[in-house]
Amino acid sequence: MSKAPEPKNAISTCVFGLQDCLKHLQKQWPILSPSESHASEPSIHGHGNELHVFGPVNIDKARQEFSHHIDAIRAICSQFENEVLGDVLKMGQGADPAFRKHFTHLKEQALLESSVLRVKNTLKHTRDYLDLSLDDMSEAKAKIETQKLERLAQSMGLMTFVDSSQRTASGVPMTTITLGGTVIVVDIDIDATGRVMRTKVTYVSEALQNDQDERVDRMLAHNLQSRNLDLFKRNLGTLALYDRLNVKYTSTDFFMIIKGLLADLKSICSQEALLLSDDLAAVLMEGHGIPSLHLDYPGISISYWLEKKYVLGNDWTSVQESIEKDQNHPALSMTSKLLVSFESSLHPQQFLPPTRMNYLLGFDETEESIRESNNGIHYKIVKETLSPKFIQPMRFVKPLPTHPGSPAIFLRFVVTLDPPIPTSDLILQKLMKMTGLTKQDTASQQIPTKSISGILSLEDLLAHDAHKSTGTAAAAQEKAPMSSKLWKLKAEEHEEHDYKWIASRETSGKLLKRIAFNHPVQLFNIIQCLRQQHMYNNLFQSIFHQTIYPCTTTPLQTSKALSLDEILKEENYINTAFQIEVAAIDAPNTLHLTLSLPPTQTVSLLTLIPLAIDISPETPARPTVHLDQPCALYDTHHQLMIWNPYVFDEEKMTKVLQTGYSIPLLMSWLWKRIKQCDDQIMVKAENAGLKRERYEDINMWQEEKFMKMDVSD
């Protein structure tokens, strides 16, 4: 008979491998754990909102791992069928005793392997618990820290070497642990108390000797000194990933690809800054973003968004000076960033060959010159489908599958969002389409939010910062739902404005953490999608967010049956507050506002003023305000009435909104103008121009004073 499969190829080993994959998925997707999947209330962490293609899990990699274990099980079963069972059938009935004995041996071997693996896992967990209990023992801290780093490095495929014979200049004992790969070496010095003294990253490759950077050393040291092990694991893992990829795909140098991509992004940033007269704030908010190297991350980060109060408060001249000196300005640490890296893919991709450094076409390069260069026929020129209005679309080169120096590998670019952002299904589907993950135009489809247990709506994610909160939804039920509360925001010293969220259905929300893409030409489209969502989120949270503007919430009556006393009480009650109802039908494209003025002698109780805030995908950093004109409305003398053009000046409303990205600021400005015109919100069409000129002359100085107000707080 054929020999039994080796233990490393046994089915039990593959089954345990599948279990490890599932455990890893549960860590990345906590919603898959039994404690959350059977919960009666959705988690306020928003874990259910991470179940999508751009969540924390690379689904392609998970599929590959599952397929690997399943294929191994199928191969073992096929081998058993073809070899063992084939021999038994050939031998006939006489082989029954031998087959039974062999089958019993396989069962015993499988039980033994399972027991060994279970004991191994138990010992591992026991060791982890013992390490935790020894953390407070000062005499063991250096050893514990070293062991933690050893296990972390080994999980990333790095070799470790510990030298405890070192001493500091003052004679204090010191331990140096070296984490080594093929291209990188990381030395970490730890004193006797377990405190990390310094780290040093060294590149073995000759081509990278000039890329030694103290910013990486300080970054890793700060992560360990502040005991932020998650951040240290992310940063060390990024360096280890480049090292592993260079070993696995020897024809592609990923360190050089990152270096060339950074040069491309800096070139684009310089061109945009030149066209905008060094207005880096505009480059950040409307251009391709500001690229940085080793900004709290070992590699490329692209700053693409910043809250308006920081945009207005920053010294952008000093930011420009820091960039010219190849330094990272602290202001860029407050921005929303894209962290560039690589990840596994089910579909093969081509990266630049060693003979070319840059994806971006140079100033002196044309399609003809590329075609006439070495292997030029194997390049394709691709152009951006969307670009800033102040610059022409960028052109890039893309290696074709026929390029002899660029073999296809199952890898792709990926950007991690720092920080993650809550987004609508509309943006998620647009991102899937533009990055090639789907070929169907599903952007108009909406998924009902409450149809899936554990999923929070976009409004809940934004209003309560659910992805930053702690605790359970059951402990925070007083915060939800959004439509059952009245938000009172202080407008002036003795005035409050009432805001209410109106929604016929809640917007399905997702928590966006990473975006995979195939080529740098897709980056600006991705950035514009994210900016559109950021703008929507900022405007929404300028009202419905208790930590940004001081506000109180008042529960609204939800009962449909009212007593006679309640009806009489409501009839005699007159709300004197300026009321604004907010709604979004197609988030993040538009926010609809319905303004209701307190009744006066000139304002009817039923006067409603409809406004709309449009966030264009092409210019998301410049939202516009427009007023919906009423249907043909005539006064008692049958004269056509229109909205007062002095009060509802769309150009000036847009300017106010763009000044602070704040709906309460816009409403305060609008309320002042309404009071200045004695509540005459509608005028005769034939007199509109005369009234506008009179109000402009009288109130010009007040207008200028308001527009200069500080919106940074």
Side-chain angles (χ1 to χ4, degrees):
M1 282 189 184
S2 301
K3 292 179 64 178
E6 294 294 328
K8 63 180 180 180
N9 295 326
I11 290 179
S12 58
T13 305
C14 298
V15 171
F16 272 94
L18 285 173
Q19 290 179 344
D20 289 338
C21 290
L22 288 172
K23 289 178 182 177
H24 185 61
L25 282 178
Q26 283 184 346
K27 288 181 180 179
Q28 295 179 296
W29 271 335
I31 192 67
L32 297 179
S33 62
S35 59
E36 289 211 21
S37 60
H38 294 94
S40 58
E41 296 291 346
S43 169
I44 198 169
H45 294 84
H47 289 153
N49 300 78
E50 298 176 354
L51 283 170
H52 57 89
V53 69
F54 291 142
V57 177
N58 179 2
I59 298 178
D60 281 3
K61 183 179 179 181
R63 287 174 177 172
Q64 288 176 338
E65 292 175 351
F66 270 84
S67 297
H68 171 74
H69 292 297
I70 296 298
D71 290 344
I73 292 174
R74 287 174 175 169
I76 294 171
C77 293
S78 297
Q79 181 185 9
F80 184 81
E81 179 185 9
N82 295 331
E83 298 179 7
V84 178
L85 292 182
D87 292 346
V88 170
L89 292 175
K90 290 178 182 178
M91 295 174 63
Q93 295 183 353
D96 284 352
F99 177 71
R100 293 179 183 275
K101 183 178 180 181
H102 179 71
F103 192 72
T104 302
H105 172 71
L106 290 178
K107 289 172 60 178
E108 293 174 350
Q109 185 180 18
L111 289 173
L112 179 61
E113 290 174 2
S114 298
S115 300
V116 170
L117 288 173
R118 288 191 177 93
V119 170
K120 183 179 178 180
N121 288 334
T122 302
L123 291 174
K124 180 182 177 182
H125 291 310
T126 303
R127 182 187 63 186
D128 293 339
Y129 285 123
L130 287 174
D131 289 347
L132 289 174
S133 64
L134 292 174
D135 272 352
D136 295 331
M137 298 177 60
S138 58
E139 62 272 14
K141 280 189 175 181
K143 184 177 181 181
I144 294 298
E145 289 297 322
T146 302
Q147 290 176 347
K148 286 181 180 178
L149 292 172
E150 280 186 292
R151 290 197 295 271
L152 180 61
Q154 290 167 3
S155 69
M156 297 178 180
L158 300 175
M159 302 294 292
T160 60
F161 175 76
V162 179
D163 182 7
S164 301
S165 62
Q166 303 280 338
R167 288 186 176 272
T168 64
S170 57
V172 178
M174 179 181 69
T175 300
T176 299
I177 177 172
T178 301
L179 317 178
T182 305
V183 181
I184 63 166
V185 176
V186 182
D187 294 314
I188 304 173
D189 294 338
I190 306 173
D191 64 13
T193 63
R195 184 179 66 88
V196 173
M197 302 171 62
R198 73 177 186 93
T199 63
K200 177 67 176 176
V201 178
T202 307
Y203 298 101
V204 178
S205 173
E206 290 291 337
L208 299 174
Q209 290 303 308
N210 295 329
D211 295 331
Q212 311 284 351
D213 200 315
E214 293 184 355
R215 289 175 293 187
V216 182
D217 303 337
R218 292 194 297 267
M219 179 198 313
L220 296 178
H222 178 71
N223 295 157
L224 291 172
Q225 291 165 357
S226 61
R227 306 193 68 81
N228 194 337
L229 294 182
D230 289 337
L231 200 55
F232 176 78
K233 182 178 179 180
R234 183 200 73 178
N235 294 335
L236 179 64
T238 301
L239 294 172
L241 174 65
Y242 297 157
D243 188 273
R244 292 197 306 271
L245 293 179
N246 271 23
V247 174
K248 186 175 181 179
Y249 305 107
T250 55
S251 60
T252 305
D253 191 333
F254 293 92
F255 286 98
M256 300 307 293
I257 287 178
I258 289 293
K259 188 175 181 179
L261 181 59
L262 176 66
D264 293 340
L265 296 173
K266 283 188 172 182
S267 175
I268 296 173
C269 181
S270 298
Q271 294 178 48
E272 293 179 342
L274 184 63
L275 291 172
L276 295 172
S277 302
D278 292 332
D279 186 357
L280 280 183
V283 175
L284 171 68
M285 303 294 284
E286 301 181 50
H288 285 73
I290 301 177
S292 302
L293 183 64
H294 307 320
L295 177 63
D296 307 323
Y297 171 77
I300 300 175
S301 60
I302 305 172
S303 300
Y304 69 94
W305 187 262
L306 184 62
E307 289 187 31
K308 194 66 172 184
K309 59 182 179 181
Y310 298 123
V311 174
L312 298 175
N314 273 336
D315 181 4
W316 292 101
T317 302
S318 64
V319 176
Q320 175 72 24
E321 293 173 354
S322 297
I323 292 176
E324 291 174 353
K325 296 177 182 178
D326 197 22
Q327 298 174 353
N328 293 328
H329 195 278
L332 296 181
S333 295
M334 299 185 295
T335 62
S336 294
K337 300 179 288 291
L338 299 178
L339 313 180
V340 182
S341 186
F342 305 93
E343 70 173 19
S344 299
S345 171
L346 287 178
H347 305 287
Q349 304 290 338
Q350 279 77 31
F351 291 88
L352 287 179
T355 55
R356 183 175 177 89
M357 280 285 296
N358 303 99
Y359 280 99
L360 184 68
L361 254 65
F363 291 107
D364 56 345
E365 288 185 313
T366 62
E367 294 189 27
E368 291 74 19
S369 64
I370 292 293
R371 195 177 300 110
E372 294 172 358
S373 63
N374 186 27
N375 290 323
I377 59 173
H378 302 292
Y379 287 112
K380 179 182 178 182
I381 307 300
V382 291
K383 187 167 66 172
E384 291 178 329
T385 58
L386 183 66
S387 66
K389 291 191 174 182
F390 50 82
I391 196 171
Q392 293 294 321
M394 295 294 163
R395 296 180 303 160
F396 298 83
V397 296
K398 181 179 181 181
L400 296 174
T402 57
H403 198 294
S406 178
I409 56 180
F410 291 89
L411 211 67
R412 63 191 176 195
F413 287 104
V414 65
V415 289
T416 302
L417 278 69
D418 182 20
I421 66 169
T423 185
S424 67
D425 280 352
L426 182 65
I427 290 295
L428 185 72
Q429 291 160 353
K430 286 173 64 177
L431 287 169
M432 290 175 63
K433 184 181 178 183
M434 68 178 55
T435 56
L437 291 183
T438 178
K439 300 299 182 183
Q440 298 177 356
D441 187 3
T442 58
S444 61
Q445 298 179 3
Q446 288 283 346
I447 302 173
T449 302
K450 294 301 182 183
S451 62
I452 305 175
S453 175
I455 304 293
L456 298 176
S457 68
L458 177 61
E459 292 78 25
D460 288 331
L461 285 171
L462 293 174
H464 312 306
D465 274 342
H467 58 294
K468 300 178 183 177
S469 302
T470 57
T472 61
Q477 283 300 302
E478 68 276 5
K479 296 182 179 179
M482 279 288 301
S483 58
S484 67
K485 294 195 174 182
L486 187 69
W487 298 65
K488 292 181 175 292
L489 270 66
K490 192 172 182 180
E492 293 183 354
E493 186 175 354
H494 302 293
E495 289 186 358
E496 283 185 340
H497 292 171
D498 293 349
Y499 292 86
K500 187 177 186 300
W501 175 254
I502 303 295
S504 58
R505 64 177 182 182
E506 294 177 322
T507 305
S508 179
K510 299 291 186 290
L511 194 58
L512 202 58
K513 291 196 169 183
R514 43 171 282 282
I515 302 172
F517 64 102
N518 301 322
H519 193 275
V521 74
Q522 300 168 323
L523 272 174
F524 186 71
N525 295 66
I526 293 172
I527 288 174
Q528 288 296 81
C529 273
L530 297 179
R531 283 175 176 153
Q532 187 182 19
Q533 187 66 57
H534 269 290
M535 177 56 70
Y536 177 88
N537 295 356
N538 283 14
L539 294 176
F540 183 92
Q541 290 184 323
S542 70
I543 307 170
F544 307 111
H545 195 287
Q546 296 194 19
T547 61
I548 295 181
Y549 288 93
C551 64
T552 58
T553 57
T554 304
L556 298 176
Q557 294 292 337
T558 57
S559 175
K560 296 182 179 179
L562 296 177
S563 66
L564 178 60
D565 291 338
E566 289 174 330
I567 294 174
L568 294 175
K569 183 179 178 181
E570 289 292 331
E571 186 179 33
N572 296 325
Y573 173 74
I574 298 177
N575 190 349
T576 59
F578 184 24
Q579 301 178 63
I580 303 100
E581 294 183 345
V582 187
I585 300 174
D586 57 345
N589 293 320
T590 310
L591 271 170
H592 298 276
L593 311 177
T594 303
L595 284 53
S596 178
L597 304 181
T600 64
Q601 292 181 355
T602 57
V603 178
S604 169
L605 196 65
L606 298 177
T607 300
L608 301 177
I609 307 168
L611 292 177
I613 299 175
D614 293 326
I615 307 171
S616 169
E618 288 75 26
T619 55
R622 296 182 180 270
T624 59
V625 184
H626 68 84
L627 178 70
D628 291 337
Q629 293 296 332
C631 300
L633 185 62
Y634 298 89
D635 64 3
T636 56
H637 301 289
H638 302 286
Q639 290 184 318
L640 181 63
M641 305 292 289
I642 64 171
W643 297 115
N644 190 333
Y646 164 74
V647 177
F648 305 106
D649 188 325
E650 294 184 352
E651 183 178 346
K652 289 190 176 181
M653 287 192 294
T654 296
K655 185 177 180 182
V656 172
L657 185 66
Q658 293 180 2
T659 299
Y661 292 168
S662 169
I663 292 178
L665 178 63
L666 173 63
M667 293 299 102
S668 295
W669 176 88
L670 196 57
W671 179 239
K672 284 179 179 289
R673 293 176 76 90
I674 291 174
K675 291 191 295 183
Q676 287 168 4
C677 70
D678 300 325
D679 297 334
Q680 294 184 15
I681 60 173
M682 300 194 73
V683 296
K684 298 176 183 178
E686 59 184 22
N687 297 331
L690 295 176
K691 286 184 176 291
R692 178 189 179 98
E693 292 178 4
R694 179 167 62 87
Y695 287 124
E696 292 289 352
D697 293 339
I698 295 175
N699 299 295
M700 183 63 71
W701 69 274
Q702 293 179 340
E703 170 73 18
E704 293 178 355
K705 181 179 179 181
F706 187 86
M707 289 301 295
K708 293 178 181 178
M709 69 178 294
D710 183 10
V711 296
S712 60
D713 295 330

